[in-house]
Amino acid sequence: MNKQKKFMVPGSRKRSITIEIAFVLPQQQFLKQFQVPAGTSIYQAIKLSGVENFYPEKDRSALKTGIYGKITSPETILHQNDRIEIYRPLNIDPKEKRRLKSDRLTKG
């Protein structure tokens, strides 16, 4: 009996694709290029990558994912040479940060 892994799309057993996962923290980064079976989703690739060991936070629900800067669903099926990016929540809105910096410069 031929069992397929549950994260594979039927008929994609023999093909694999090369992808990359990027996740950046203020002082370090995780960047890994590896192969996954064709039909793998973003969520599945993240699980396979080991990035969870790099960012051991309990609540990962605030993290968003994208491919080449475009926000995408974790269920998105990957293609050859996709670069998955994992985005952390912002500590402060960039516009607010510029406003605060401007206020400090005009007062100081």
Side-chain angles (χ1 to χ4, degrees):
M1 191 180 275
N2 188 6
K3 289 186 177 181
Q4 292 183 356
K5 302 224 182 237
K6 67 179 179 179
F7 60 81
M8 293 176 64
V9 171
S12 65
R13 279 194 331 239
K14 296 178 184 175
R15 258 191 50 221
S16 64
I17 59 172
T18 301
I19 62 161
E20 187 172 60
I21 294 190
F23 182 54
V24 178
L25 295 173
Q27 301 299 319
Q28 55 187 333
Q29 69 179 7
F30 177 93
L31 187 62
K32 181 176 183 177
Q33 186 178 63
F34 62 108
Q35 292 196 340
V36 296
T40 298
S41 71
I42 289 177
Y43 175 80
Q44 293 159 339
I46 288 171
K47 289 282 189 196
L48 292 169
S49 74
V51 71
E52 292 173 330
N53 298 326
F54 175 78
Y55 187 69
E57 294 291 322
K58 298 286 185 234
D59 181 21
R60 295 186 190 94
S61 63
L63 300 177
K64 297 198 181 298
T65 58
I67 297 176
Y68 291 112
K70 182 179 178 186
I71 300 289
T72 55
S73 162
E75 292 83 30
T76 300
I77 300 299
L78 297 169
H79 298 94
Q80 178 67 21
N81 296 322
D82 275 351
R83 177 188 168 106
I84 300 168
E85 298 163 346
I86 303 171
Y87 309 113
R88 301 180 283 117
L90 297 174
N91 292 331
I92 186 171
D93 178 62
K95 290 179 184 178
E96 180 67 14
K97 186 175 181 178
R98 286 192 297 274
R99 188 188 66 73
L100 291 172
K101 184 177 179 180
S102 176
D103 288 351
R104 279 196 311 264
L105 293 174
T106 57
K107 292 178 183 178

